Amino acid sequence: MKGYVFHGPGQSAWEEVPDPGIEDATDAIVRVDAVTICGTDLHILKGDLPEVRPGTVLGHEAVGEIVEVGGDVRTVRPGDRVLVSCISACGRCRYCRESSYGQCRGGGGWILGHLIDGTQAEYVRVPHADLSVHALPGAVDSKDAVLLADIFPTSYEVGVLNGRVRPGDTVAVVGAGPIGLAAIATARLFTPGRIVAVDLAAARLDAAKRLGADAVADARETPEQLVADLTDGLGADVAIEAVGAPETFELCTRMVRPGGHVANVGVHGRPATLHLEDLWIKNVTITTGLVDTYSTPTLLRMAAAGRLPTSQLVTHTFPLDHMEEAYDVFAGAAETGALKVVLGEPQHDVVAVRPT
């Protein structure tokens, strides 16, 4: 088969790789029908995650069809259409028993495209399949469903829920890329008083308005002053960091009100300064986190009911073998206007229904 292989910082290629096979009785092999590219993949290509070994197939989000399962898999079988979660879960360790699947100590966590070969390929081996894939309702299109593998649960869990967004809150979202936009969309579920989006790109700020931001600010024009003006000098109840840069994290800590929450979602490749000389007295809560994907079943039900604006985030589609072009478009978002790119083959009109 072919897959998109990381060969070291700045080096990658769509090339032939060995077909995956069942290695453990809990594995499933999935034929990839739709896959997307994550900002984390760009961090890997820049060398920000040195634990990713050269020769690894990238990608941790996919929709596809089960083609083979190990002997211990009970919840899916060949022919099932599934969402491949960005997080794998053994289901037995302490963290899995607490639904903290991202911290799995039984061979799960974020492993696809990180510690083992990932989803940006024609086929992928998914360990711990019973808890790591989700059967898809026929009402959810593949290019929409693939956004539920990572960005929506990440934004919802690590941003909105960790930030404890409540009705009437002022929520500042710093970074209006796909994660930030999904945070805006899911923050609206809690009827905040206002949402302020901050970014450098005018096109992304326009997208933020379409997805429900009440106000937008150019990151170069002291957005903390806008937030202060909107809150009578108090600051945001919740500041969500969705970039992964020292400057944006520090901006969030300046924006948040005393007693507020800073929810860091971005993947950081450099140290950020924590200004405790200013924050120690403010009762500010700062949270970090890797997504656990415990919310994926809920988000899937919402998507099936038309309650999530997934399709609004997909700006470019490509055949699966146009991976290198798709990476160029996604990485050059400032010029291309890309939000999410989805790669895959045309979907079948008939969805097989497993007999009960």
Side-chain angles (χ1 to χ4, degrees):
M1 71 167 189
K2 286 194 172 182
Y4 194 66
V5 182
F6 171 69
H7 289 294
Q11 301 176 62
S12 56
W14 177 255
E15 61 189 41
E16 288 192 2
V17 294
D19 292 347
I22 298 294
E23 297 181 14
D24 295 299
T26 57
D27 289 350
I29 306 299
V30 177
R31 186 198 70 222
V32 174
D33 292 331
V35 68
T36 186
I37 302 170
C38 180
T40 305
D41 297 321
L42 300 184
H43 281 281
I44 292 171
L45 289 176
K46 288 193 294 185
D48 289 344
L49 286 87
E51 63 270 25
V52 181
R53 299 187 307 273
T56 301
V57 175
L58 296 183
H60 49 266
E61 308 155 90
V63 168
E65 182 180 307
I66 301 283
V67 296
E68 187 178 359
V69 296
D72 289 347
V73 175
R74 296 289 179 266
T75 61
V76 291
R77 68 187 190 187
D80 286 350
R81 179 170 168 261
V82 296
L83 171 69
V84 178
S85 176
C86 66
I87 297 296
S88 303
C90 78
R92 299 184 301 273
C93 71
R94 169 181 173 174
Y95 287 103
C96 285
R97 289 177 178 271
E98 296 172 353
S99 298
S100 297
Y101 306 121
Q103 303 302 321
C104 174
R105 291 298 184 266
W110 174 35
I111 55 174
L112 292 172
H114 181 210
L115 304 180
I116 66 172
D117 286 338
T119 59
Q120 290 171 4
E122 294 173 320
Y123 293 86
V124 59
R125 179 180 73 92
V126 182
H128 308 298
D130 279 335
L131 284 173
S132 305
V133 301
H134 301 268
L136 279 177
V140 182
D141 185 84
S142 293
K143 70 179 176 60
D144 295 330
V146 75
L147 302 191
L148 302 181
D150 185 355
I151 68 163
F152 268 90
T154 294
S155 300
Y156 182 54
E157 295 174 17
V158 186
V160 175
L161 296 183
N162 280 3
R164 298 187 183 179
V165 175
R166 296 178 298 180
D169 278 355
T170 293
V171 179
V173 178
V174 179
I179 288 288
L181 294 174
I184 291 168
T186 51
R188 293 186 69 216
L189 300 172
F190 293 85
T191 60
R194 63 173 68 85
I195 299 174
V196 182
V198 180
D199 202 280
L200 293 169
R204 291 193 165 189
L205 293 177
D206 289 340
K209 291 178 188 176
R210 293 195 299 272
L211 283 163
D214 302 286
V216 297
D218 189 310
R220 293 162 291 210
E221 298 178 0
T222 59
E224 59 265 51
Q225 186 59 54
L226 171 63
V227 171
D229 291 343
L230 291 172
T231 58
D232 296 324
L234 195 60
D237 299 283
V238 182
I240 298 175
E241 199 284 336
V243 179
E247 300 81 8
T248 49
F249 173 77
E250 292 165 29
L251 173 60
C252 286
T253 64
R254 295 196 301 271
M255 279 186 175
V256 71
R257 68 165 174 83
H261 289 76
V262 174
N264 183 87
V265 188
V267 177
H268 289 263
R270 293 180 289 144
T273 302
L274 181 63
H275 288 283
L276 284 176
E277 74 278 11
D278 298 322
L279 295 171
W280 74 270
I281 201 170
K282 291 186 176 180
N283 292 14
V284 170
T285 299
I286 298 174
T287 56
T288 65
L290 174 66
V291 65
D292 292 311
T293 67
Y294 62 81
S295 68
T296 301
T298 299
L299 294 171
L300 273 171
R301 290 194 297 273
M302 295 178 66
R307 302 297 187 187
L308 291 178
T310 48
S311 59
Q312 295 184 46
L313 273 69
V314 178
T315 54
H316 296 74
T317 57
F318 300 87
L320 190 61
D321 60 0
H322 284 48
M323 191 69 69
E324 293 174 351
E325 179 186 356
Y327 260 90
D328 288 342
V329 168
F330 185 63
E335 293 77 34
T336 64
L339 293 175
K340 288 298 281 185
V341 302
V342 174
L343 301 96
E345 304 308 320
Q347 300 303 309
H348 301 292
D349 293 330
V350 178
V351 177
V353 178
R354 191 167 73 186
T356 56

